[in-house]
Amino acid sequence: MRIEWTEPALEDLAAIRDYIGKDSRYYARRYVSRIFEAAAKLKDFPAMGRHVPEAGARTDVRELIFEHYRIIYLYLVEPQRLQILTVIHGSRDLQGQAQKSWGS
């Protein structure tokens, strides 16, 4: 299983790092590193995330919860890969967004 990080997801991580970095650059780097580690577990267990409720009937859009963040990814069985689409805080309202990160 190959994991691909999309540009928007990497931008999300940069924003998280910058926000936490206002208080501590060390903990900001450490926190983002832990997000990468959590997502790396998907390499061996890609279906471990739950279906994203806002994705409706789509079963290929899943999420892994890491502390207060949702790591939303697209799980493609053929070819064996997944794309990390976004990393967002759990309090954000995805339902109200006109354009979802998975394109629908």
Side-chain angles (χ1 to χ4, degrees):
M1 178 64 58
R2 189 173 80 224
I3 298 176
E4 300 171 356
W5 286 81
T6 63
E7 194 63 34
L10 293 173
E11 290 170 3
D12 293 337
L13 289 178
I16 292 166
R17 182 200 62 220
D18 292 347
Y19 180 76
I20 297 172
K22 291 177 186 176
D23 293 324
S24 170
R25 290 168 59 185
Y26 169 78
Y27 285 112
R29 286 190 308 270
R30 186 172 172 198
Y31 195 80
V32 169
S33 177
R34 289 177 56 214
I35 292 174
F36 274 112
E37 290 169 9
K41 293 176 185 173
L42 295 170
K43 184 175 186 174
D44 295 321
F45 305 101
M48 72 187 273
R50 71 176 189 153
H51 295 286
V52 174
E54 296 90 345
R58 289 196 59 175
T59 59
D60 58 342
V61 180
R62 304 179 76 88
E63 68 182 347
L64 180 65
I65 305 299
F66 175 79
E67 294 187 10
H68 301 293
Y69 287 89
R70 300 168 71 184
I71 302 169
I72 298 178
Y73 63 97
L74 185 63
Y75 176 32
L76 303 167
V77 178
E78 291 295 327
Q80 287 278 334
R81 70 184 173 110
L82 61 88
Q83 292 179 315
I84 308 291
L85 302 174
T86 189
V87 180
I88 63 167
H89 196 274
S91 65
R92 288 197 40 206
D93 178 21
L94 266 181
Q95 194 67 36
Q97 289 184 356
Q99 179 67 29
K100 307 292 191 289
S101 53
W102 52 89
S104 59

